Amino acid sequence: MYGLAESDPDQNLIKREGMSPEALGQIDRIMAEMGRMRRLERQIMRNSQSFMKLNETDMRALRMLISAKHAGTVVTPGQLARYLGISSASVTKMIDRLIDGEHVARRPHPTDRRSWCIEVTDPTHLMAREQVGRHHAQRFEVAREFTDAEREVIIRFLARTSDAMEDSMSRAQTALEGPDEKSGKTGD
């Protein structure tokens, strides 16, 4: 949407000296395409959520359950709560809601009589594959078109971008916490 010149005209965040106009243009195009991909992914998710009448947390839970089904692993409510970062009470409410909607089933755990396992239902699994999976499979088809060396460059770019963003978030969080919170002191 906006290039470097429009989003950071005074170079407060991104120093551009020594870079050719061609290099800056390529970087602008990379950022624009990454933004377009994020917008499309959000739209795919919104469309799927609307079609399936689910919220974002529900969809994340279904993705985990589908992956577990493919891997042949069992998912307990506790594992689901930890993965989603929500409380036991919240995961219980969510599971009950998903059972009511016939998206998941609660079954006795195969090896632990005290526990339950949660499984995605076949109709919801199929619906998720059609609503989300088909779109995301296109990324594989695109990646297939590149050479091994080109894929390594793409991997390095994506990994280094993620690492840089994680580092930036960590530094920002540390700055927000201040010296007392970082050290665990209460300031009394």
Side-chain angles (χ1 to χ4, degrees), residues 45-181:
M45 192 53 61
R46 279 193 303 272
N47 291 350
S48 299
Q49 288 171 352
S50 176
F51 179 79
M52 296 174 75
K53 297 174 179 54
L54 299 172
N55 64 39
E56 183 177 344
T57 303
D58 297 341
M59 293 295 285
R60 288 180 56 222
L62 290 179
R63 278 195 302 272
M64 180 194 188
L65 294 170
I66 289 168
S67 293
K69 184 176 186 174
H70 290 164
T73 60
V74 172
V75 177
T76 65
Q79 290 170 315
L80 203 50
R82 283 188 296 281
Y83 173 77
L84 297 171
I86 61 177
S87 69
S88 297
S90 294
V91 85
T92 298
K93 280 182 172 180
M94 181 193 68
I95 290 169
D96 289 344
R97 189 177 61 253
L98 292 173
I99 287 171
D100 289 346
E102 300 181 357
H103 295 292
V104 302
R106 185 185 288 126
R107 308 224 190 282
H109 194 284
T111 59
D112 183 352
R113 291 187 336 209
R114 300 164 297 154
S115 188
W116 295 94
C117 63
I118 308 303
E119 299 173 353
V120 66
T121 62
D122 289 339
T124 292
H125 185 185
L126 179 61
M127 193 182 321
R129 185 175 63 213
E130 294 302 316
Q131 288 296 310
V132 180
R134 288 213 184 280
H135 300 299
H136 290 309
Q138 295 308 302
R139 292 186 289 196
F140 178 87
E141 295 303 325
V142 171
R144 181 195 312 248
E145 296 172 9
F146 292 93
T147 67
D148 293 349
E150 290 169 328
R151 281 191 292 271
E152 286 300 323
V153 170
I154 295 166
I155 292 164
R156 193 172 78 235
F157 168 74
L158 293 172
R160 290 195 54 198
T161 299
S162 295
D163 291 345
M165 291 175 75
E166 284 175 346
D167 290 346
S168 178
M169 287 173 45
S170 179
R171 285 192 306 273
Q173 184 62 39
T174 300
L176 287 174
E177 289 173 353
D180 288 341
E181 291 182 41

